[in-house]
Amino acid sequence: MSATSFTALARTSHPETALRRFLALDAVVTGANGLAYLVASGPLGRLLGVGQGLLLTLGALLTVYAGGVALLAARARPAATGVRAVVEANLAWAVLSVAALALWLTPTVTGTVWILLQAAAVAAFAVLQHMALRVRQESSD
């Protein structure tokens, strides 16, 4: 993706703003997902074919993680180390989601679709955040 199309996607020509937006969007989506798992783990577990206990655990984890990503996004200049950690965590989540689906989870069709869509969305966040960090670093050189 060229820098021009990337900045159009971010709707800004400022690399710092793009990075912060992608981090903030990740925090909002992840936080909403985590809260949904915490609040509605029973019904969501039945719908997705995933255990309520697993959803409660993931909900707590995602909610805490989203808080950390939100704090990073709130900084005027998010630390490159923190952004790299978020990118790596997102990539790990995407890979582990697909691995869990292939190796040990037996979700419903809805659950399978949800897990794959979630993995794709999280991987997309990782790519966008990585690209925004790279553009920021290139513009400051």
Side-chain angles (χ1 to χ4, degrees):
M1 181 179 282
S2 71
T4 304
S5 60
F6 175 75
T7 57
L9 178 65
R11 298 189 186 273
T12 180
S13 59
H14 303 286
E16 203 65 55
T17 302
L19 179 58
R20 293 179 64 219
R21 283 181 181 170
F22 292 135
L23 289 168
L25 183 60
D26 185 357
V28 168
V29 171
T30 302
N33 196 30
L35 289 174
Y37 286 175
L38 286 172
V39 172
S41 59
L44 283 175
R46 288 186 293 279
L47 174 68
L48 302 174
V50 177
Q52 181 177 357
L54 176 61
L55 287 182
L56 283 171
T57 301
L58 291 176
L61 222 165
L62 290 174
T63 303
V64 170
Y65 176 76
V69 176
L71 287 174
L72 189 61
R75 299 195 56 148
R77 184 170 172 85
T81 305
V83 175
R84 282 189 209 98
V86 168
V87 168
E88 290 171 7
N90 283 343
L91 289 174
W93 177 273
V95 169
L96 288 172
S97 294
V98 174
L101 187 59
L103 299 174
W104 63 84
L105 292 179
T106 53
T108 62
V109 171
T110 302
T112 300
V113 170
W114 174 251
I115 291 166
L116 292 173
L117 287 175
Q118 187 181 52
V122 172
F125 280 136
V127 169
L128 291 170
Q129 292 157 350
H130 172 75
M131 289 176 63
L133 179 61
R134 191 175 71 203
V135 170
R136 180 183 84 177
Q137 290 171 332
E138 289 171 359
S139 70
S140 65
D141 288 341

